[in-house]
Amino acid sequence: MAMDKPIFGHGPSSFGADYMVYQSKFFKNYPDSQSTLLADNVTHPFNDYILLITEYGVFGLMGLLIIMIFIKKCTKKITAPLLCILSIARFSLLSYPTRYSTILFLLAYSLAELNTFDKLGIRLKPIGQLGANAFIQSLSFCF
């Protein structure tokens, strides 16, 4: 799937909708494949990065890398929120943790705790900092 539209991907939520079509084409071309025993109604790949590149293409993957580089540049020392973000990123290689709302909440909370606004030299009043943290946390519910 990712090879058909490598630059921009297939679009949001397209993996679950399009994967069965690709699977049926594969089995039509290879009817004697041993993979027929594993065929199923798959709505999510077993890796969040495969999902990202399939749905958003290379630009989506580059966007994630830019965000990760930005987080790395903004943090000067290893903290609990940074370790939480790194563990979710590593766990995403082997599974799909972003499908669970508790993991998304931990990710959003960790991003808010990094307090990147202060490290960039942007001074916010306490109410502005609270609003910025609430906005970052609310992003988890969009995914």
Side-chain angles (χ1 to χ4, degrees):
M1 284 181 68
M3 296 304 288
D4 286 347
K5 296 183 179 181
I7 305 299
F8 296 109
H10 289 268
S13 302
S14 63
F15 185 87
D18 295 342
Y19 179 76
M20 296 303 293
V21 175
Y22 280 86
Q23 183 175 336
S24 67
K25 286 180 186 177
F26 175 80
F27 289 131
K28 185 177 179 182
N29 293 334
Y30 304 101
D32 297 331
S33 173
Q34 292 182 356
S35 299
T36 55
L37 299 173
L38 302 174
D40 198 7
N41 185 12
V42 178
T43 59
H44 197 280
F46 196 69
N47 182 322
D48 276 342
Y49 298 109
I50 292 173
L51 179 69
L52 180 72
I53 201 162
T54 301
E55 291 186 350
Y56 300 103
V58 174
F59 280 114
L61 192 61
M62 285 179 14
L64 178 66
L65 289 174
I66 289 169
I67 291 170
M68 294 180 90
I69 290 169
F70 178 74
I71 290 171
K72 172 74 172 97
K73 295 269 186 200
C74 290
T75 54
K76 305 241 187 285
K77 59 182 179 176
I78 297 175
T79 60
L82 180 63
L83 290 175
C84 183
I85 293 168
L86 290 175
S87 64
I88 292 170
R90 186 168 180 177
F91 187 49
S92 292
L93 288 169
L94 305 172
S95 187
Y96 40 91
T98 57
R99 299 275 292 182
Y100 303 106
S101 59
T102 52
I103 300 296
L104 286 175
F105 177 77
L106 279 173
L107 182 61
Y109 181 77
S110 297
L111 286 170
E113 279 295 312
L114 283 178
N115 201 1
T116 55
F117 293 102
D118 188 40
K119 293 178 181 156
L120 290 175
I122 301 170
R123 299 285 181 219
L124 297 174
K125 294 180 181 178
I127 192 70
Q129 185 66 41
L130 179 66
N133 286 345
F135 172 74
I136 292 171
Q137 289 178 7
S138 67
L139 287 177
S140 70
F141 297 111
C142 296
F143 299 104

